[in-house]
């Protein structure tokens, strides 16, 4: 990771099956598009610590698995306020990406631009995306990161 | 008084596999049925590790919980080191306490600011709380970040930063890295004192009632990695005798796992720890607590947030104590020679005692692992608490009010959950 790069790409996930896709994409992105202008990070269930992970960047791309009822492998880009909050928390384990970004907004801690890239993994048991499907997802995400890079000053 | 029949079902959607639910049925003004299923014990991890080399255990168990990887590694490491006759020495022992300080700081700061403070200040969420109390919430995030610095001091920059191995650590931090974290600790200390005062000033319900509670207890220190298991009802046993006193069983008509101590549900966690180890806290911590006017030992589960604030204060002082005298070791770990046997580890995760039993073969491969997390142990107690607290609150209250009080009771325990959480959904059975 290059400390202090203006674009930060964060893969959020957990060790469980298709929920690793954020990590796998970030690792593949870093191999495909290394750049002094991009920090690549993987975060395991970061909760509110996501805010510290994106602090100081100009633009942020967060990549995470999602369940939105779409075809598995669908890549869907969202602005922060399009994310659905989980509702009332019973546990701090339930504090996810949407909640962390909302908290950051309420505290004035968010970078100027935060884009969320959701990768549809389908309903449980959600097998990991692999092979051609993963390659197709990677191509789409590369294009998203390239577009964000072009918008850097 | 109108007596209503109420059925509350809590379906919970899963981010990963798993399920959870709260079923509540009220008939004739009494709780007729209450079943809680919010946590599945990590049986898949235990099974996955059978036959694998001991070197895989710590990396694997660290993935069980996103908030408490240190706890899982600590309990497993101690058990495996016992089997191999491995004694890592004073440097490792102290640095493992620093590591646990970091995890307590992270977890407790999250709990206080994301769960407790919104509840007790009347906000539906931390996001709403942040709008009115931004200074306090930012302070909470700084404490969490400090905890993360401590954990990363002893780990790497990978997605899983914890650098624990059997026999010690993979690397020793440099004196410069320690000096940087020490400065952060000192800067945060006044914030920890202010936090105890703030949490102590919150208006809290009182659901004090009788129940057993359990923690570790050590001859000299506030417990983290070592000690006997003690309770407020006279228990005092080595951790190897856990299974002779504590029993796991499936709750009737449910997949939930319940743990009992001598047949009774019991509490583990920060409230139990503070209650049973007041005399192991430094004077500065006791003084800050005394100024709140809240007396411990306390049986009011709503005081668990204050117990967490007390432990944040303690953890910063303890990390300072250890790191001020930091020296580089000759080696950050002691090489272990595998041998067959059975070993036990029981350490104080942020949410309470995490008990492990591991059995190895002569080549150091896992024969069997047993992991009893704190939330497993609290599940029966949470049910009992809900029964008591909702009855005390008043079963003739509006459904939404019952739901909110139920959520607040559960949040006191900050349970590890296998899945994402949602509002309690209220289905009213009018019969």
């Amino acid at each position: 990771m290059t400390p202090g790069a203006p674009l930060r790409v964060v893969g959020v996930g957990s060790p469980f099956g298709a929920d690793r896709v954020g990590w796998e994409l970030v690792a593949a992105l870093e191999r495909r598009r290394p750049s002094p202008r991009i920090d690549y990070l993987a975060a395991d269930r970061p909760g509110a610590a996501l805010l510290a992970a994106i602090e100081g960047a100009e633009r942020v791309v967060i990549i995470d698995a999602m369940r939105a009822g779409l075809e598995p492998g669908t890549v869907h880009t969202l602005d922060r306020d399009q994310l659905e909050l989980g509702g009332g928390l019973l546990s701090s384990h339930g504090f996810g990406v949407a909640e962390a970004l909302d908290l950051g907004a309420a505290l004035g801690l968010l970078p100027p631009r935060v884009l969320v890239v959701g990768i549809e993994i389908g309903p449980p048991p959600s097998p990991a995306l692999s092979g051609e499907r993963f390659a197709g997802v990677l191509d789409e995400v590369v294009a998203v990161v390239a577009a964000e890079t072009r918008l850097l000053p | 008084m109108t007596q209503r029949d109420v059925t509350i079902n809590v379906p919970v959607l899963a981010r990963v596999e798993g399920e959870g639910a709260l079923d509540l049925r009220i008939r004739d003004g009494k709780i007729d049925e209450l079943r809680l299923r919010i946590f599945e014990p990590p049986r898949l991890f235990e099974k996955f590790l059978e036959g694998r080399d001991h070197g895989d255990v710590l990396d694997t168990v660290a993935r069980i919980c996103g908030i408490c990887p240190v706890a899982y590694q600590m309990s497993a490491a101690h058990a495996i080191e016992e089997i191999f006759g491995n004694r890592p020495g004073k440097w490792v022992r102290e640095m493992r306490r620093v590591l646990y300080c970091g995890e307590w700081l992270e977890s407790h700061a999250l709990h206080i600011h994301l769960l407790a403070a919104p509840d007790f200040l009347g906000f539906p969420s931390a996001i709403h709380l942040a709008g009115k109390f931004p200074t306090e919430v930012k302070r909470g995030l700084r404490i969490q970040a400090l905890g993360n610095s401590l954990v990363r001091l002893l780990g790497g920059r990978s997605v899983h930063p914890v650098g624990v191995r059997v026999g010690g650590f993979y690397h020793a931090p440099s004196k410069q890295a320690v000096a940087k974290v020490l400065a952060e600790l000192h800067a945060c200390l006044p914030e920890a004192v202010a936090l105890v005062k703030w949490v102590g000033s919150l208006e809290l319900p009182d659901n004090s009632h009788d129940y057993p509670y359990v923690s570790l207890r050590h001859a000299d220190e506030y417990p983290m990695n070592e000690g006997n298991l003690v309770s407020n009802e006279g228990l005092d046993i080595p951790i190897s005798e856990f299974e002779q006193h504590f029993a796991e069983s499936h709750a009737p008509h449910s997949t939930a796992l319940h743990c009992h101590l001598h047949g009774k549900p019991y509490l583990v966690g920060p409230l139990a720890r503070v209650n049973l180890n007041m005399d192991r806290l430094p004077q500065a911590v006791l003084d800050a607590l005394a100024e709140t006017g809240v007396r411990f030992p306390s049986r009011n589960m709503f005081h668990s947030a204050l117990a967490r604030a007390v432990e944040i204060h303690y953890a910063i002082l303890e990390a300072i104590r250890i790191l001020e005298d930091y020296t580089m070791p000759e080696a950050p770990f002691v090489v272990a020679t595998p041998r067959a046997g059975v070993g036990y580890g029981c350490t104080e995760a942020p949410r309470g005692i995490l008990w492990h039993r591991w059995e190895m073969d002569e080549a150091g491969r896992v024969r069997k692992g047993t992991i009893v997390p704190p939330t497993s142990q609290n599940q029966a107690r949470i049910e009992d608490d809900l029964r008591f607290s909702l009855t005390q609150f008043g079963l003739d209250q509006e459904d939404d009010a019952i739901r909110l009080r139920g959520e607040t009771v559960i949040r006191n325990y900050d349970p590890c959950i296998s899945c994402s959480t949602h509002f309690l959904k209220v289905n009213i059975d009018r019969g």
Side-chain angles (χ1 to χ4, degrees):
Chain A
M1 186 177 94
T2 311
L7 173 59
R8 197 161 304 161
V9 179
V10 183
V12 172
S14 76
F16 307 109
D19 209 17
R20 301 175 58 92
V21 72
W23 300 347
E24 287 159 357
L25 283 168
V26 156
L29 277 165
E30 190 165 21
R31 287 191 295 271
R32 189 125 140 211
R33 265 193 90 87
S35 165
R37 309 202 76 199
I38 307 177
D39 289 339
Y40 291 100
L41 265 182
D44 181 357
R45 293 161 285 184
L50 181 64
L51 293 176
I54 63 177
E55 191 184 358
E58 281 294 313
R59 305 180 83 88
V60 172
V61 174
I62 294 170
I63 306 173
D64 195 4
M66 74 177 179
R67 286 199 177 108
L70 302 171
E71 179 66 24
T74 303
V75 177
H76 193 59
T77 55
L78 306 146
D79 287 317
R80 176 187 64 79
D81 46 20
Q82 293 173 278
L83 289 172
E84 245 180 55
L85 292 171
L89 291 182
L90 290 180
S91 160
S92 47
H93 292 72
F95 202 80
V97 169
E99 288 80 6
L101 294 179
D102 262 20
L103 183 65
L107 293 171
L109 292 177
L110 289 186
R113 158 94 165 150
V114 178
L115 186 68
V116 179
V117 179
I119 315 295
E120 176 67 44
I121 58 170
S126 308
L129 299 176
S130 59
E132 272 187 27
R133 188 168 265 173
F134 182 83
V137 169
L138 178 59
D139 284 343
E140 285 195 60
V141 178
V142 165
V144 169
V145 172
E148 291 297 303
T149 313
R150 282 193 292 275
L151 293 168
L152 291 171
Chain B
M1 179 173 72
T2 307
Q3 296 197 338
R4 291 167 16 241
D5 291 340
V6 175
T7 299
I8 296 182
N9 291 309
V10 185
V12 181
L13 297 179
R15 173 183 170 85
V16 293
E17 292 169 39
E19 60 171 26
L22 168 63
D23 295 314
L24 175 65
R25 195 167 62 200
I26 301 167
R27 293 283 184 270
D28 301 325
K30 291 196 176 81
I31 293 177
D32 180 48
E33 185 179 288
L34 191 156
R35 289 187 304 196
L36 183 71
R37 280 190 326 276
I38 51 172
F39 179 74
E40 300 293 335
R43 297 291 181 246
L44 286 179
F45 282 86
E46 292 168 349
K47 269 282 167 233
F48 173 75
L49 281 165
E50 282 176 11
R52 298 184 82 93
D53 185 73
H54 67 277
D56 291 340
V57 173
L58 299 193
D59 283 344
T60 303
V61 299
R63 283 145 173 78
I64 290 173
C65 178
I67 295 187
C68 307
V70 167
Y72 281 89
Q73 294 199 319
M74 288 293 99
S75 290
H78 282 77
I80 296 171
E81 285 157 7
E82 184 188 21
I83 298 169
F84 296 167
N86 181 277
R87 300 202 194 300
K90 184 177 178 210
W91 183 89
V92 169
R93 189 185 185 281
E94 293 282 85
M95 297 314 287
R96 283 176 170 175
R97 285 183 72 81
V98 169
L99 191 64
Y100 240 136
C101 288
E103 186 154 278
W104 283 13
L105 288 176
E106 283 195 273
S107 179
H108 288 354
L110 278 183
H111 172 92
I112 289 169
H113 297 87
L114 302 189
L115 297 185
D119 267 339
F120 304 136
L121 288 165
F123 291 94
S125 75
I127 289 104
H128 293 87
L129 174 77
K132 291 282 194 245
F133 289 87
T135 305
E136 287 80 359
V137 176
K138 283 183 186 173
R139 180 177 63 198
L141 292 178
R142 280 197 296 278
I143 294 172
Q144 186 199 7
L146 173 62
N148 196 253
S149 287
L150 280 172
V151 172
R152 284 186 179 271
L153 181 67
L154 289 146
R157 295 181 67 80
S158 73
V159 64
H160 300 293
V162 188
V164 175
R165 52 162 292 158
V166 172
F169 291 91
Y170 283 106
H171 86 279
S174 67
K175 284 188 139 183
Q176 293 89 330
V178 167
K180 183 168 178 296
V181 169
L182 202 45
E184 291 170 24
L185 284 162
H186 278 291
C188 205
L189 188 52
E191 307 217 275
V193 176
L195 181 64
V196 170
K197 188 173 175 180
W198 184 61
V199 177
S201 72
L202 298 175
E203 272 190 45
L204 303 173
D206 185 348
N207 71 348
S208 299
H209 57 289
D210 284 332
Y211 49 84
Y213 47 84
V214 177
S215 79
L216 288 182
R217 184 159 168 84
H218 188 272
D220 308 309
E221 63 199 13
Y222 197 76
M224 285 181 169
N225 283 313
E226 296 169 29
N228 267 15
L229 284 165
V230 300
S231 80
N232 58 325
E233 294 184 352
L235 184 80
D236 189 346
I237 57 165
I239 63 173
S240 55
E241 291 179 15
F242 179 90
E243 287 167 313
Q244 295 164 36
H245 298 264
F246 297 84
E248 289 182 297
S249 60
H250 277 104
H253 313 297
S254 167
T255 58
L257 200 68
H258 279 184
C259 290
H260 292 98
L261 167 59
H262 302 151
K264 292 200 279 189
Y266 62 98
L267 170 73
V268 299
L271 188 67
R273 275 198 296 267
V274 172
N275 280 349
L276 291 165
N277 293 281
M278 293 281 288
D279 57 344
R280 301 287 187 257
L281 288 167
Q283 196 57 48
V285 174
L286 294 173
D287 290 346
L289 175 57
E291 282 188 26
T292 68
V294 177
R295 296 178 68 84
F296 281 76
S298 167
R299 290 176 181 278
N300 180 7
M301 196 55 200
F302 290 94
H303 284 153
S304 63
L306 182 55
R308 286 177 170 89
V310 164
E311 288 192 333
I312 284 175
H313 188 187
Y314 171 74
I316 292 178
L317 286 172
E318 178 68 352
I320 289 173
R321 179 190 73 78
I322 294 170
L323 293 178
E324 270 182 344
D325 289 334
Y326 182 75
T327 54
M328 294 287 289
E330 279 188 28
F333 62 90
V334 174
V335 174
T337 305
R339 64 186 187 195
V342 172
Y344 304 89
C346 186
T347 69
E348 286 279 3
R351 284 157 187 74
I353 51 171
L354 169 59
W355 187 85
H356 282 214
R357 176 189 183 280
W358 291 93
E359 191 178 333
M360 298 287 166
D361 68 16
E362 58 287 337
R365 283 182 303 250
V366 175
R367 276 214 183 103
K368 186 168 151 56
T370 306
I371 299 171
V372 184
T375 296
S376 280
Q377 297 175 73
N378 276 339
Q379 199 146 236
R381 177 84 276 277
I382 299 174
E383 277 194 15
D384 272 11
D385 191 341
L386 281 165
R387 236 176 243 114
F388 176 88
S389 299
L390 293 178
T391 304
Q392 179 200 50
F393 180 65
L395 298 173
D396 55 345
Q397 301 263 9
E398 294 293 322
D399 291 352
D400 273 355
I402 293 176
R403 174 184 54 77
L404 181 58
R405 178 51 63 100
E407 287 179 356
T408 308
V409 167
I410 295 172
R411 282 193 280 268
N412 284 331
Y413 296 83
D414 200 353
C416 281
I417 51 170
S418 310
C419 47
S420 302
T421 51
H422 287 253
F423 282 122
L424 298 184
K425 287 200 180 105
V426 181
N427 294 318
I428 300 174
D429 180 353
R430 298 275 180 221

